[in-house]
Amino acid sequence: MTEIEIGRGKRARQAYTLDDIAIVPSRRTRDPEEVSVSWQIDAYHFELPIVAAPMDSVVSPESAIAFGRLGGLGVLDLEGLWTRYDDAQPLLDEIASLEGEGAIRRMQEIYAEPIKPDLITARLQQIRDAGVTVAGALSPQRTQEHWRTVVDAGCDLFVIRGTTVSAEHVSSRQEPLNLKRFIYELDVPVIVGGAATYQAALHLMRTGAAGVLVGFGGGAASTTRQTLGIHAPMATAIADVAAARRDYLDESGGRYVHVIADGSVARSGDIVKAVACGSDAVMIGAGLARASDAPGGGFHWGSEARHEQLPRGARVRVGASAPLQEVLFGPAHNADGTTNLIGALRRAMATTGYSDLKEFQRVEVVVNPYTAQ
């Protein structure tokens, strides 16, 4: 691994973003219609390798149902507006109308409303009644408090998602969540993250997680890099975590843990390159918030933006480009990679000669001599 000397007392290794790399065609091409983009985690099969991020601007119970019927997996934020208010729509409308520096302060006030366990149950039951896979997300801090409610409500996949999640959280003030014991005792598959390094991902895999989210501070609505100075370039992070998956596969005697890229994946080319670096699926926020039928009404924000003490995100305008169906399957009416995400992934795989996602992870990748736009 190449190291760069920052100064006499500090060295750093070179890392790459998804914009820094490109895939290379091979000697074979295929018909895009004969390419499979499906994937499976535990007992759950999905036609699309896209997970809708647990953000209020992206996933409501209704949009989770619609996304599930289209072949993807929508993850509901169980600390969001839908578990705090009986009717979340007026709050969504207000957040979309906020202006200026007071927007974050008002969002902090809105999200100060307590989470109601009965609403967790009702929202998950609504998704279950529609006949699609049910997935909900909690932060590590809230998991101990609400996990029983989530499991009893019939959640199929449980997501523990934070800015960063470790298997070894140290605290002298309170007993931290013991991931290994928790996942072992839980009766549903758990996806956990984010992680951004080989070692952190390997430790999470050893807890028994079914999937690991890869990413830190790279989303469109994240300001973690500015507020904390922490950021993980995604191409390198995915490749490092994919290496941990490979080594854990040998260590565990054949247990495969899925790698899901989470952050900096908003356009079709980002999805292509994330899979090429080793991810099995991608978790998308801003790219789906652009749908005209998304809950955010043309705006996008994550849990970091509403943090009560140190906001590390913003509410950003992403616009409304097309209905969800067109965002995923086209036809596209622009050339910027924001619509027909699945069509673009199929074409990239077909152009390079690969028939499924696992094969495509072996595609040749080069470092660009330019900054991609």
Side-chain angles (χ1 to χ4, degrees):
M1 183 67 69
T2 302
E3 285 196 339
I4 298 172
E5 185 176 286
I6 304 298
R8 289 179 181 272
K10 198 71 173 179
R11 299 182 69 84
R13 68 178 181 131
Q14 179 72 54
Y16 299 98
T17 69
L18 294 174
D19 280 342
D20 292 326
I21 66 167
I23 62 171
V24 180
S26 65
R27 63 180 178 85
R28 180 186 293 115
T29 57
R30 294 181 182 275
D31 186 331
E33 298 307 315
E34 297 177 2
V35 168
S36 171
V37 296
S38 66
W39 74 299
Q40 181 167 330
I41 181 168
D42 203 84
Y44 302 99
H45 179 87
F46 304 97
E47 292 300 320
L48 311 181
I50 298 179
V51 181
M55 297 173 162
D56 282 343
S57 57
V58 180
V59 180
S60 65
E62 293 79 10
S63 66
I65 293 168
F67 193 59
R69 287 173 174 167
L70 290 171
L73 174 65
V75 182
L76 187 67
D77 180 5
L78 301 178
E79 300 174 35
L81 296 175
W82 282 273
T83 60
R84 298 174 190 264
Y85 297 92
D86 290 319
D87 183 4
Q89 192 57 52
L91 286 308
L92 288 167
D93 295 339
E94 180 181 352
I95 290 173
S97 69
L98 295 174
E99 296 181 1
E101 296 181 357
I104 294 296
R105 181 183 295 273
R106 177 56 185 148
M107 289 174 66
Q108 290 172 320
E109 295 171 351
I110 291 172
Y111 282 94
E113 180 73 14
I115 297 168
K116 301 174 178 62
D118 60 320
L119 286 179
I120 292 178
T121 301
R123 304 311 188 197
L124 293 177
Q125 187 62 49
Q126 180 182 348
I127 299 172
R128 174 164 292 284
D129 289 345
V132 300
T133 303
V134 183
L138 289 171
S139 65
Q141 295 82 1
R142 297 279 193 171
T143 295
Q144 302 239 50
E145 181 180 357
H146 295 295
W147 73 268
R148 174 59 67 185
T149 301
V150 176
V151 173
D152 289 348
C155 198
D156 296 316
L157 290 165
F158 186 40
V159 179
I160 302 175
R161 183 177 186 260
T163 305
T164 185
V165 178
S166 72
E168 188 178 350
H169 179 68
V170 179
S171 175
S172 59
R173 297 184 297 108
Q174 58 186 1
E175 183 181 357
L177 176 66
N178 185 322
L179 272 176
K180 188 168 186 177
R181 184 178 66 196
F182 175 79
I183 292 174
Y184 177 78
E185 294 175 353
L186 209 59
D187 200 27
V188 298
V190 177
I191 300 171
V192 62
T197 66
Y198 170 93
Q199 203 64 46
L202 188 59
H203 284 184
L204 288 178
M205 292 172 185
R206 288 169 176 163
T207 66
V212 172
L213 300 172
V214 184
F216 193 110
S222 173
T223 60
T224 301
R225 183 174 181 178
Q226 293 92 325
T227 54
L228 299 183
I230 304 175
H231 176 62
M234 278 297 284
T236 297
I238 296 169
D240 283 348
V241 175
R245 175 187 60 201
R246 176 200 63 210
D247 292 348
Y248 179 70
L249 188 68
D250 292 338
E251 174 188 305
S252 63
R255 184 172 181 272
Y256 188 91
V257 179
H258 291 80
V259 173
I260 303 170
D262 178 14
S264 302
V265 184
R267 299 176 188 268
S268 55
D270 301 327
I271 300 172
V272 170
K273 290 185 279 189
V275 176
C277 287
S279 64
D280 298 288
V282 297
M283 179 173 276
I284 299 182
L288 298 179
R290 292 191 184 101
S292 56
D293 42 355
F299 288 87
H300 178 52
W301 65 94
S303 59
E304 299 92 348
R306 66 186 193 235
H307 194 279
E308 64 275 10
Q309 295 178 340
L310 184 62
R312 302 180 300 281
R315 185 212 56 168
V316 297
R317 181 187 293 273
V318 294
S321 59
L324 178 62
Q325 175 90 24
E326 287 187 24
V327 169
L328 293 173
F329 303 112
H333 301 292
N334 55 50
D336 61 1
T338 60
T339 51
N340 200 358
L341 303 179
I342 297 303
L345 176 60
R346 286 185 181 276
R347 186 164 296 275
M349 293 171 63
T351 300
T352 52
Y354 293 91
S355 61
D356 60 44
L357 296 173
K358 290 305 299 177
E359 283 190 2
F360 189 57
Q361 291 174 353
R362 301 198 299 266
V363 69
E364 182 181 354
V365 174
V366 295
V367 176
N368 291 341
Y370 54 84
T371 300
Q373 299 299 318

